[in-house]
Amino acid sequence: MRVRVDLNISLDGFATTTDGTPEDPIGEDWMRLVAAYTATRTFRERVLGDTSGAGTTGVDEKYASAYFDEVGAEIMGAGMFGLHTFSDDPSWRGWWGEEPPFRCPVFVLTHRSRPDLEFDNGTTFQFIEATPQEALERAVAVADGGDVRVGGGPTVVRDFLRAGLVDDLHVGIAPLILGDGIRLWDDLRGLEQGYEVTAETAESGIVHVAFARS
């Protein structure tokens, strides 16, 4: 069992964007940030339900496919689930509709109590208030020997990295400048120590940097 993180970040290190509006809460910058990932065959199939085989199949696809491999449980922050935007909507069930791509237990870290959500494809969302260590213990207990992925956002990921809980960190660095948002690397000086670091450039221009602890 390994604890994994996969994030898309900008060249200046931001993993969130700031141009969302009430009419368009995602915003154009976020779609630019994740454009290479959303173009992959795995994303189109796993998230969009497109089984035609369409989508890119190069280096970006290799990392997109690995994103879902052998994950037995997921941990995410309230923002990733959408609670920062839809906190007052009791009917909100996440960004992914009735077919969330996780297909495993998901623990959403939040101070707000909400009932569990269950979906037919095996995805369950449990809303918990917990430290990184406590959340990880709960995720490991239901992962059935699979890996635990810390899905984001960057504030949650930094908490897990600072606690020394992450075995594998992969970042897809997009060649764009966002200038504002939440940076992944703040307060993580010397993070690379103790990891083997590799980098690979995709056809899209995304640089995939992987930190792996032996």
Side-chain angles (χ1 to χ4, degrees):
M1 192 283 297
R2 294 178 72 83
V3 180
R4 297 161 38 186
V5 171
D6 293 88
L7 283 182
N8 296 287
I9 67 174
S10 65
L11 198 60
D12 48 348
F14 292 103
T16 65
T17 55
T18 59
D19 67 330
T21 65
E23 296 74 27
D24 180 14
I26 294 178
E28 293 183 6
D29 280 350
W30 178 256
M31 300 311 299
R32 293 169 59 220
L33 182 64
V34 301
Y37 171 54
T38 59
T40 63
R41 182 170 58 188
T42 288
F43 180 90
R44 293 181 64 88
E45 178 178 351
R46 184 87 179 216
V47 181
L48 302 181
D50 179 0
T51 58
S52 69
T56 59
T57 58
V59 174
D60 290 324
E61 164 64 14
K62 179 179 78 171
Y63 287 93
S65 178
Y67 179 88
F68 292 105
D69 287 347
E70 300 180 5
V71 173
E74 176 110 4
I75 300 168
M76 67 174 62
M80 182 174 175
F81 184 79
L83 293 182
H84 293 354
T85 304
F86 299 97
S87 59
D88 296 325
D89 183 356
S91 66
W92 176 250
R93 293 167 65 83
W95 301 101
W96 308 276
E98 292 302 305
E99 291 287 334
F102 308 102
R103 303 175 190 174
C104 67
V106 181
F107 296 91
V108 181
L109 300 175
T110 177
H111 300 299
R112 290 175 174 260
S113 178
R114 292 174 69 99
D116 295 352
L117 293 176
E118 297 185 7
F119 294 82
D120 291 340
N121 69 353
T123 303
T124 62
F125 291 102
Q126 298 180 51
F127 302 88
I128 65 171
E129 185 170 4
T131 66
Q133 292 86 349
E134 292 167 344
L136 181 57
E137 288 174 4
R138 294 186 61 168
V140 169
V142 299
D144 196 24
D147 291 344
V148 174
R149 183 175 57 225
V150 182
T155 301
V156 170
V157 168
R158 283 206 311 267
D159 288 343
F160 278 79
L161 288 169
R162 281 196 296 264
L165 300 176
V166 176
D167 299 305
D168 298 284
L169 167 65
H170 159 248
V171 291
I173 305 174
L176 57 90
I177 305 297
L178 292 176
D180 199 4
I182 300 175
R183 282 173 43 87
L184 173 62
W185 305 122
D186 288 350
D187 305 318
L188 292 175
R189 182 177 182 272
L191 172 70
E192 73 284 352
Q193 298 178 30
Y195 289 92
E196 179 182 353
V197 184
T198 58
E200 186 173 11
T201 302
E203 299 86 346
S204 63
I206 300 292
V207 180
H208 294 274
V209 181
F211 299 73
R213 185 157 54 196
S214 60

